[in-house]
Amino acid sequence: MPSEEQDILKSAVQEFAQKSLLNNLLKLEREGIDDSMVRALATQGFLGSRIPEKYGGSGIDQSGYLVVLEELATFSPSVSALVMLTSSVFAQLVGDMDPEAVRRVASGEAMASVAFDSILEGNTTVEGLKESGKSMTGERKHILNANPDYLISEAEGSGFLYLIKGGIETKEEDQILSFRGIKLGTARVNCSTYVKLADNGKKRLAEVMDSLDLEISAIALGISRGALQKVIEYTKVRKTFDKPLKDYGPVASTISKLMSEQRVLEMALHNQEIEEEKEKLMIKVLAVDLAKRASKYALQFHGGYGYIEDFGVEKYYRDAMGLSILLQRSRSDNQRLAKEIFGEKSGYL
Amino acid sequence: MDFDFPEDIVIARQKASDFAKKEIKPEDARVYDKQEKFPDDLRKKAFELGIVDYTNPWSMLVTIEELCRADAGMGIAATVSLFGAEVIMLFGSDEQKQKYLGSVQTGKKIMGLAVTESGGGSDVAGIKTTAKREGDKFIVNGSKMFITNGSIADFFVMLVRTSSPDGKRHHGLSTIVVEADLPGFTKNKLSGKLGVRATNTAELILSNVEVPAGNLIGEEGKGFYYIMTFFNISRAYVAAQAIGIAQGALDRILSHLGNLAKSGRSEEITEEIQFLVADIATRVEASRLLTYKAASFLFQFKPNPTLTSMAKAYASETAVFATEKALEITGVSGITGDLERFFRDAKIMEIWEGTSEIEKLIISRNLLKEASEGN
Ligand SMILES: Cc1cc2nc3c(=O)[nH]c(=O)nc-3n(C[C@H](O)[C@H](O)[C@H](O)COP(=O)(O)OP(=O)(O)OC[C@H]3O[C@@H](n4cnc5c(N)ncnc54)[C@H](O)[C@@H]3O)c2cc1C
């Protein structure tokens, strides 16, 4: 997408966010993304932005899609994660195997969830679902997006990956660190309609997750930009000892350096000549790290106000950490990166 | 030089640790956190069993560590009901000590310290709440922000402006005891904190609140000095809270890695993880040494504000570092378990009772002053 078109798209997302998201951000964090928000995202074409038109999506190219993800994350990382989950993860995994499911999800008629904790780090046991040849039953913990109509999950034993269509009852989990808009849930499944998506579920899930380096970078950079914009505004007006905070060297230089990293990474992210996997991965590793640091300082420089939800800063701190655990595999990324740099398997000991 | 604690403190630590294991269960901590509920039963029990006893500051220091190691929200809620008592203890009249301290020392009553205002917390001298003398009363007007125990305390030690600053901003400030049930005194509980959600925090609004003149603590105009003296004490306890959180995170990392090893997944404990574990453990140990050194000066009545600020700032940064790395190491199991709460709780350590930036200003100003005085 030419850069002028990217700018137009950026303005469109910002306009939507200002109109539909800005006044609902606290509610969204407290109660989760509701159906009307999902429909609004679908109507604007954002929910299925990366899904091909033949499946009911908007079919925009990757450069436009990154703009959508980054801009939405600036306001709400949860909303952006929902779009990525729908447009990239679900749509890529299902694709031609069930175009109707993809169409329903892209249009906001149905919600999709994917259980990919088995490939994430720090997982000690994955309790799976049992497939009997006729039905799929059991319980699956830690599914991202706690209230789905469709669930993609591996089956215990075979490790096959399935699309489960209905018969899903979910309970929200207590995890309140990150992505409060979409939540983590435990799904209880009793379903006879399901489609096999892949033989090696883990491998397929890992392939898809590893193909989303730039998408995750876009969310990370949205988080850091949202946090930095807030702290720049705040430190201009907040005074201590009769001086605005921005006048204090450590405050100004910390924010300025973070903003410089932000700008350089944004330039890299939106550089459409980036094609090599290695470079995409480099951007992601740095962007996620920046999101964590920028959100931490933004919170800190808000003082006590940073610690309460009303100022909308602490959510960036929570979501940056959540992003690095629930949507990224940082140790495996570091090893992938080391392999790229050294030309062979490295850094695994 | 002997680094061992005397036996009574070792026993106090063990007692606190046993109490925490029994009374601060992870499942309860999760509920209090989620519902933002104050664990008053826990607090009362801690007093009844003699776990909370500020007459022995060393044992209190290690007790705070052990309780926060189990859970910071509940641990702080159980130990913070005397917050501000030292101001009365050090500068109050005998009558005030008798009237106010007895009941908080036994846990019957709860108190709070009200300094911060919406306009500023770091800039203590910038407060705007006024107390005008009228006969035998002070008429108090203004508001206070982020006050711990704010909507449950029976009374507050409050910093107010009793006269204009006369050129120096920290002049004209005084401390008074304000009882919570006075007409014109309203409290709004704040919800939606990132962490320490079992503690109670409120905004206080005072509109023509009449406080007896006898509630003035110490001398009029000395409030700024009293509060700074207080912070030099309380910061050692905050450092202990932070050490507890960091140690709690380390415990959980080691248990997670132990489980990996037991289940034949030792190869996942890479050198990167091992280095992080070493870093966290080193910082926890360094925080302890700094805090105990600062406390040792303090508890012998020769406070060293530079050391206290070093301990508070360093232990707080350690708590944030340890919990952040704990989540990175434990991944999904950490984020879906107790460590995510530790991560949210830890961040307050760098903010309350002097942000890390303010502590650093104090440290370097003291050092520069000492250097210029040729010490
Ligand atoms: C949960 C909670 C409980 C609390 N309990 C109490 C309580 O019981 N009693 C009470 O009185 N207060 C309490 N506080 C208030 C707390 O002590 C203040 O929030 C804290 O002192 C910071 O003040 P502030 O929020 O006004 O931030 P500000 O003072 O506005 O500071 C904002 C940021 O600017 C930085 N900054 C300020 N000046 C400088 C400078 N010169 N150079 C560099 N950086 C600077 C600060 O470090 C901070 O990062 C509580 C706060 C919270 C969140």
Side-chain angles (χ1 to χ4, degrees):
Chain A
M1 183 182 280
S3 67
E4 308 81 63
E5 279 181 38
Q6 282 189 24
D7 289 343
I8 295 170
L9 183 60
K10 189 170 170 171
S11 305
V13 185
Q14 282 174 351
E15 199 180 312
F16 165 81
Q18 258 142 18
K19 222 170 72 194
S20 310
L21 273 177
L22 199 57
N23 295 328
N24 290 315
L25 288 174
L26 256 185
K27 184 166 174 268
L28 192 150
E29 288 290 307
R30 286 180 189 155
E31 296 165 22
I33 298 171
D34 62 14
D35 291 350
S36 68
M37 177 58 64
V38 175
R39 276 194 299 276
L41 283 164
T43 309
Q44 293 291 323
F46 299 144
L47 190 63
S49 38
R50 188 74 178 122
I51 296 176
E53 281 170 284
K54 65 173 177 172
Y55 299 139
S58 328
I60 60 173
D61 70 6
Q62 200 195 29
S63 64
Y65 181 46
L66 297 178
V67 170
V68 172
L69 289 176
E70 187 184 351
E71 291 310 312
L72 287 175
T74 309
F75 290 85
S76 167
S78 287
V79 168
S80 190
L82 175 69
V83 170
M84 191 189 85
L85 200 67
T86 308
S87 251
S88 308
V89 186
F90 186 80
Q92 270 196 52
L93 286 169
V94 178
D96 282 335
M97 315 258 204
D98 194 333
E100 177 58 8
V102 180
R103 187 202 62 74
R104 291 189 67 219
V105 167
S107 68
E109 258 172 62
M111 291 286 267
S113 177
V114 183
F116 49 82
D117 59 325
S118 61
I119 59 158
L120 296 176
E121 275 146 10
N123 213 0
T124 39
T125 52
V126 173
E127 289 152 41
L129 302 175
K130 294 198 174 64
E131 199 271 326
S132 67
K134 277 195 302 235
S135 66
M136 180 79 74
T137 50
E139 206 175 77
R140 184 68 201 252
K141 284 187 181 155
H142 314 327
I143 63 165
L144 195 54
N145 196 10
N147 203 7
D149 304 284
Y150 294 109
L151 171 66
I152 294 178
S153 170
E154 300 148 80
E156 209 175 277
S158 69
F160 295 164
L161 192 69
Y162 290 99
L163 168 67
I164 298 156
K165 301 159 70 164
I168 308 163
E169 264 180 48
T170 47
K171 209 177 98 204
E172 276 170 25
E173 289 176 9
D174 274 348
Q175 185 278 136
I176 59 170
L177 182 69
S178 316
F179 301 125
R180 287 185 187 166
I182 49 179
K183 301 192 168 83
L184 278 189
T186 297
R188 181 164 295 161
V189 174
N190 188 351
C191 174
S192 52
T193 346
Y194 49 92
V195 179
K196 186 162 125 188
L197 300 176
D199 283 345
N200 188 337
K202 252 193 187 152
K203 187 165 162 242
R204 182 73 188 117
L205 286 168
E207 267 166 22
V208 170
M209 288 308 287
D210 290 348
S211 73
L212 299 175
D213 289 340
L214 290 184
E215 285 78 351
I216 289 164
S217 308
I219 300 179
L221 290 178
I223 291 176
S224 45
R225 182 142 56 81
L228 288 170
Q229 276 169 355
K230 272 198 179 279
V231 76
I232 289 170
E233 286 313 309
Y234 189 74
T235 50
K236 278 195 219 164
V237 295
R238 177 73 169 180
K239 286 186 176 171
T240 61
F241 312 100
D242 295 331
K243 293 273 190 296
L245 291 177
K246 69 159 183 57
D247 286 2
Y248 296 114
V251 176
S253 68
T254 305
I255 296 173
S256 304
K257 279 185 203 142
L258 291 166
M259 206 55 203
S260 311
E261 288 182 58
Q262 175 78 23
R263 190 69 203 106
V264 171
L265 281 169
E266 278 180 358
M267 277 159 38
L269 178 74
H270 297 295
N271 174 356
Q272 294 176 47
E273 272 149 37
I274 290 206
E275 273 175 6
E276 271 200 60
E277 290 310 311
K278 176 168 70 177
E279 288 163 350
K280 293 180 185 173
L281 184 55
M282 286 170 171
I283 296 173
K284 179 169 82 172
V285 168
L286 296 180
V288 173
D289 181 54
L290 174 65
K292 286 192 201 168
R293 284 180 294 118
S295 58
K296 181 154 81 174
Y297 281 110
L299 192 164
Q300 180 67 17
F301 291 144
H302 275 77
Y305 290 104
Y307 205 69
I308 51 172
E309 64 181 2
D310 305 54
F311 269 62
V313 183
E314 52 89 44
K315 75 164 184 251
Y316 296 115
Y317 184 58
R318 292 188 282 102
D319 285 341
M321 181 50 89
L323 177 77
S324 74
I325 293 173
L326 295 171
L327 295 178
Q328 195 205 1
R329 311 189 308 142
S330 57
R331 279 195 287 282
S332 122
D333 282 348
N334 289 344
Q335 284 173 27
R336 269 204 294 149
L337 187 58
K339 189 175 173 199
E340 295 282 359
I341 305 278
F342 292 95
E344 57 189 305
K345 188 177 177 187
S346 318
Y348 55 92
L349 295 175
Chain B
M1 191 182 294
D2 187 355
F3 281 99
D4 287 334
F5 274 121
E7 204 188 338
D8 61 323
I9 309 303
V10 175
I11 292 171
R13 187 190 283 280
Q14 189 56 49
K15 204 169 141 189
S17 163
D18 294 344
F19 177 80
K21 282 194 189 99
K22 192 159 161 247
E23 305 292 343
I24 307 184
K25 297 255 163 59
E27 53 274 22
D28 295 334
R30 244 167 262 158
V31 173
Y32 284 109
D33 173 68
K34 197 169 180 201
Q35 298 178 355
E36 301 188 63
K37 208 169 118 189
F38 183 80
D40 204 37
D41 289 346
L42 176 79
R43 181 189 73 82
K44 286 184 182 144
K45 209 177 258 181
F47 274 95
E48 273 161 28
L49 298 177
I51 301 290
V52 174
D53 174 11
Y54 276 88
T55 57
N56 186 340
W58 274 114
S59 78
M60 237 9 255
L61 199 77
V62 296
T63 295
I64 290 172
E65 254 184 58
E66 291 304 318
L67 301 196
C68 290
R69 184 176 179 177
D71 180 68
M74 291 179 79
I76 295 168
T79 51
V80 81
S81 64
L82 284 85
F83 192 47
E86 288 88 347
V87 180
I88 302 178
M89 210 150 10
L90 292 174
F91 307 109
S93 63
D94 288 344
E95 205 185 328
Q96 286 167 344
K97 287 179 198 166
Q98 206 166 23
K99 182 167 176 196
Y100 292 111
L101 291 186
S103 56
V104 286
Q105 267 157 358
T106 54
K108 277 206 195 84
K109 288 197 169 169
I110 296 178
M111 66 177 292
L113 177 91
V115 175
T116 305
E117 299 186 356
S118 57
S122 303
D123 185 4
V124 171
I127 62 147
K128 302 244 163 11
T129 298
T130 56
K132 289 220 166 77
R133 189 96 184 223
E134 277 185 16
D136 59 355
K137 284 180 245 155
F138 284 107
I139 311 295
V140 186
N141 279 293
S143 65
K144 295 285 169 182
M145 192 60 175
F146 302 128
I147 304 307
T148 299
N149 299 333
S151 66
I152 53 171
D154 298 282
F155 62 91
F156 299 89
V157 166
M158 193 174 288
L159 186 70
V160 290
R161 182 159 284 291
T162 42
S163 63
S164 21
D166 81 12
K168 288 212 162 137
R169 295 169 82 241
H170 60 284
H171 286 184
L173 298 171
S174 305
T175 40
I176 55 172
V177 179
V178 183
E179 296 193 13
D181 57 0
L182 293 173
F185 191 179
T186 42
K187 299 111 205 159
N188 303 318
K189 184 183 171 198
L190 298 175
S191 55
K193 294 200 295 274
L194 173 64
V196 288
R197 288 156 62 98
T199 65
N200 175 283
T201 316
E203 179 188 17
L204 314 179
I205 298 165
L206 301 105
S207 169
N208 290 319
V209 176
E210 296 186 6
V211 176
N215 282 17
L216 176 75
I217 301 170
E219 282 176 54
E220 196 170 321
K222 290 262 173 80
F224 184 83
Y225 163 72
Y226 296 162
I227 293 297
M228 291 303 135
T229 307
F230 168 77
F231 280 149
N232 275 328
I233 302 169
S234 65
R235 281 172 185 154
Y237 292 120
V238 176
Q241 295 167 357
I243 293 167
I245 294 176
Q247 180 65 57
L250 181 59
D251 295 341
R252 284 155 183 81
I253 295 171
L254 293 175
S255 149
H256 173 83
L257 298 179
N259 288 340
L260 280 184
K262 263 187 244 153
S263 54
R265 293 165 65 180
S266 300
E267 79 285 355
E268 290 177 39
I269 310 173
T270 58
E271 280 200 5
E272 224 161 343
I273 291 178
Q274 294 173 46
F275 282 21
L276 280 175
V277 170
D279 278 347
I280 295 168
T282 308
R283 290 196 197 191
V284 171
E285 202 52 35
S287 301
R288 278 212 177 90
L289 290 176
L290 256 178
T291 303
Y292 298 161
K293 185 168 178 188
S296 143
F297 278 101
L298 195 63
F299 299 157
Q300 294 178 68
F301 303 102
K302 26 177 207 185
N304 182 330
T306 311
L307 267 181
T308 314
S309 287
M310 284 177 179
K312 195 270 177 185
Y314 191 75
S316 299
E317 289 181 2
T318 298
V320 172
F321 174 77
T323 54
E324 192 179 303
K325 297 301 165 199
L327 278 182
E328 287 171 9
I329 292 170
T330 59
V332 178
S333 73
I335 211 171
T336 54
D338 294 323
L339 277 169
E340 68 87 23
R341 197 175 60 254
F342 274 68
F343 173 73
R344 289 185 284 110
D345 291 342
K347 194 74 193 76
I348 192 61
M349 299 294 142
E350 293 185 328
I351 296 173
W352 65 14
E353 272 163 87
T355 62
S356 292
E357 291 76 16
I358 295 301
E359 302 301 345
K360 284 172 192 175
L361 285 176
I362 295 172
I363 295 165
S364 35
R365 279 178 194 164
N366 287 346
L367 293 176
L368 289 168
K369 192 164 163 248
E370 280 168 25
S372 75
E373 286 164 358
N375 293 334

